[in-house]
Amino acid sequence: MKIVGRLAMLGAIMLLAGAMLKMSFSNEASYIYTAGAVLFAIMQFIGRIRGGNIALRRLVTMQMMGAVALIVAGVLMFTHQRNEWIVAMTIGAMLELYTSFRIPREMDE
């Protein structure tokens, strides 16, 4: 499972780099961001927590929705010329941030 964590980290770095480079290198940054979002989402789906209580399953579902929102942001980078992708990326990032704090706490209980 160590490689899953490293690939997820690589995907997260690509997400961040693609979002930052979007201002300067629009076309290339979209490819970097989308590849990072897909890699990050796949690693989350592979390494997801199964079982547990209802609250933990709900949090994992929210985490998966956040990963899908990040992928949708990548698709919006290609299909729309304005900055609609920022809304989807923000929603995905907020869901990921919330679940990254809540899942370990719920697993400890």
Side-chain angles (χ1 to χ4, degrees):
M1 288 303 268
K2 198 173 194 180
I3 193 154
V4 172
R6 289 184 185 205
L7 287 174
M9 181 67 71
L10 176 65
I13 291 169
M14 289 172 68
L15 277 167
L16 181 61
M20 289 187 335
L21 291 173
K22 181 68 176 166
M23 303 305 169
S24 304
F25 308 100
S26 181
N27 229 7
E28 295 83 7
S30 299
Y31 288 107
I32 294 170
Y33 179 90
T34 305
V38 169
L39 180 63
F40 186 72
I42 288 172
M43 292 304 113
Q44 279 194 340
F45 281 109
I46 288 173
R48 78 176 189 206
I49 302 156
R50 291 172 174 80
N53 59 15
I54 295 258
L56 186 59
R57 284 187 280 172
R58 177 186 55 87
L59 287 167
V60 169
T61 302
M62 287 174 63
Q63 187 178 39
M64 299 304 144
M65 288 171 39
V68 169
L70 292 173
I71 293 173
V72 168
V75 171
L76 288 174
M77 282 182 174
F78 290 108
T79 58
H80 289 75
Q81 297 301 319
R82 290 178 282 167
N83 293 330
E84 292 90 354
W85 62 273
I86 294 174
V87 175
M89 184 185 69
T90 302
I91 291 169
M94 295 310 265
L95 286 171
E96 292 290 337
L97 182 66
Y98 175 72
T99 58
S100 70
F101 284 106
R102 288 287 298 141
I103 287 175
R105 181 179 288 170
E106 195 64 39
M107 288 177 69
D108 287 341
E109 292 178 358

